Every structure is written in C-alpha cells, then in structure tokens.
Amino acid sequence: MNYGKIIVTGSSSGIGKEIVKKFLDDGYDIEGIDLSDNGAFSHQNYKHHQLDVTKFHQLEYLINNIEYSNENNVLVNCAGTREICPIDELTLSLWEKIFSVNVTASFLSGKSFCQNIIKRKLNGCVINIASVSGLLGEPNRTAYVSSKHAVIGLTKQLALEYGRYNVRVNAIAPGVIRTPLTESYYHDEFQLEKIYKGQFLPSLGMPEDVAQAASFLASKGASFITGSTLIVDGGWTIGKDL
C-alpha cells in the first residue's frame, strides 16, 4: 500500500538518510534531494535529485514540478551545515552560507510545498529538522545556533500562515546524534564523556531516533499538532547536572 509522497532534503547521509529508510519502510514514495550524486538507495520507490539547496530557483522549480500524491505529502527539510569557530573569526560570508542552507532553503521549499498542497487541494505537512542549538546557546557556533533558532521561528510562522488550509508544520530538535558529522566525538574520550554528562538517558542518540519522530509527526496520530518542536535529545535540554 502506498502511503504518499515524501520529499527529503539532505537525503544521502546522516539523519536524512535514516528518514528516507524509515519512510520507505512506511510505504512512501521518496524524492531525495542532496548535493551528493550518490542517491544512497537502490529502491523502486526512491528517486534522487542531485541539487545544491542554495540554488534557490532550481529548488523552487523542483518542488513545484514534483508529482504529488493524492494520499499524503510530506516535506522534510533536513539539509544543514554548521561552523565551528570563535565569533571573532566568523566572517559575513560564512554566516550567510550557514543561513542560506539552514534557513533560506527551508523557507523557500516550505513555502513552495505548502502553496502546491493548497493549490492542488491535497493533504500535506512539513517537518523542519532544527536542533537543540535552536533552544540553547553553544560556544563557537554563532551562525549555526542563530540559524537553528530561526528554523524554529520559521516553523511557527509557516504553521500560523498555512494552518487554516489544514497544512501542518512542525520541527524536530535533535540533541547529539551519531552521524558522519559527529562521528569523531565517539572516538574521543573527552567528547564522549561530555555527551554522557550532558544528557540524562544512558543511551546515545542515533539517526533512527529522529526518523521515528518524523514518522510520527507525518502520521494521523499527529493530526492536531502544528507549530510544535519535538525535542529528541535524551534530556540534553532539561537541566544541568550541578
């Protein structure tokens, strides 16, 4: 049984890749968008688009011309990037790059997706992958932290603007998740100790944890949830171990 269509940006690695796997298991057709030319999947229900999401006109064109489903449609904005440097070394060009990927691309794809759902009188929802860095400050990540705060604000605003058309928009704020981007943490005793001390569950966060959350937010079980940020962080944001 086909449950609908899902569009995933950042589909070839990390959280995005796991979301694709989960929604394939759930019975969706997938349109994956990634800078990489490696679709990472050989599956009849997966179609890969090699695209830089900061090529905004190309991104909008793709969102506008995808074949949508008469069942359910989901957009997951997962493409993201970050910087690790002191604020004194953060250049305007790097700041703009972080915001282009993390915020502007999500705005344009989200707006285009919602407008297509409304125009075609279809069912659909948007899931933005934010971060606990969108709720807290963090050293040496000024642009990233600011951009993820913006993603949460964008989520609320899209939910407010399009809710009247029964289009839901939510965000997920993962904590430290083991992906290729963070793999080095797990081979550094000091970093690993910081992770365990920073959260209140003994298990480590995995991409599957975020994919399960995305599957729930796309389901009928979440039909009255919009404008929310679902935190998936093992307790990272609930307090400090004083």
Side-chain angles (χ1 to χ4, degrees):
M1 180 178 178
N2 183 278
Y3 281 85
K5 174 66 63 74
I6 175 173
I7 306 164
V8 183
T9 70
S11 60
S12 291
S13 66
I15 291 172
K17 183 177 179 179
E18 199 61 39
I19 286 173
V20 170
K21 288 169 62 178
K22 173 59 180 168
F23 277 85
L24 284 173
D25 289 344
D26 287 349
Y28 280 79
D29 288 330
I30 316 288
E31 305 271 352
I33 303 172
D34 200 281
L35 188 60
S36 169
D37 63 353
N38 178 12
F41 296 95
S42 177
H43 195 289
Q44 62 180 359
N45 294 336
Y46 179 83
K47 182 177 181 180
H48 187 71
H49 305 271
Q50 184 181 7
L51 178 67
D52 179 347
V53 295
T54 65
K55 305 293 185 184
F56 299 132
H57 293 299
Q58 294 178 30
L59 179 62
E60 283 188 289
Y61 180 85
L62 178 57
I63 298 296
N64 288 335
N65 288 279
I66 277 175
E67 184 177 344
Y68 288 84
S69 169
N70 290 324
E71 299 299 325
N72 190 33
N73 297 276
V74 184
L75 169 67
V76 180
N77 284 311
C78 193
T81 188
R82 68 175 184 184
E83 91 290 2
I84 301 178
C85 69
I87 189 171
D88 293 345
E89 298 175 13
L90 177 61
T91 64
L92 177 59
S93 61
L94 181 54
W95 169 277
E96 290 176 337
K97 176 185 176 182
I98 301 297
F99 267 76
S100 290
V101 176
N102 294 357
V103 185
T104 308
S106 295
F107 158 66
L108 289 172
S109 60
K111 184 181 77 166
S112 298
F113 175 86
C114 291
Q115 289 175 337
N116 274 281
I117 293 302
I118 294 164
K119 180 176 66 177
R120 302 172 193 221
K121 298 181 180 179
L122 299 172
N123 297 315
C125 69
V126 178
I127 302 169
N128 292 322
I129 305 301
S131 169
V132 293
S133 298
L135 303 166
L136 303 168
E138 193 173 358
N140 298 326
R141 290 166 175 82
T142 298
Y144 180 74
V145 167
S146 300
S147 73
K148 290 301 185 178
H149 275 73
V151 168
I152 291 174
L154 173 65
T155 299
K156 292 177 180 179
Q157 193 61 29
L158 290 175
L160 183 153
E161 297 287 353
Y162 293 114
R164 74 191 75 175
Y165 303 104
N166 204 33
V167 178
R168 298 183 299 108
V169 186
N170 292 291
I172 299 173
V176 182
I177 304 295
R178 190 168 189 170
T179 69
L181 194 64
T182 62
E183 183 61 30
S184 63
Y185 298 170
Y186 299 85
H187 304 278
D188 181 321
E189 289 186 12
F190 176 71
Q191 291 285 1
L192 201 51
E193 183 181 3
K194 283 177 65 176
I195 293 171
Y196 278 119
K197 286 186 68 176
Q199 61 185 44
F200 290 86
L201 290 179
S203 56
L204 294 171
M206 301 299 290
E208 300 94 303
D209 298 313
V210 184
Q212 291 285 353
S215 179
F216 165 68
L217 287 175
S219 72
K220 291 182 179 178
S223 62
F224 198 57
I225 301 174
T226 195
S228 294
T229 298
L230 177 55
I231 302 170
V232 182
D233 70 348
W236 191 272
T237 56
I238 60 177
K240 294 181 180 180
D241 185 1
L242 298 176

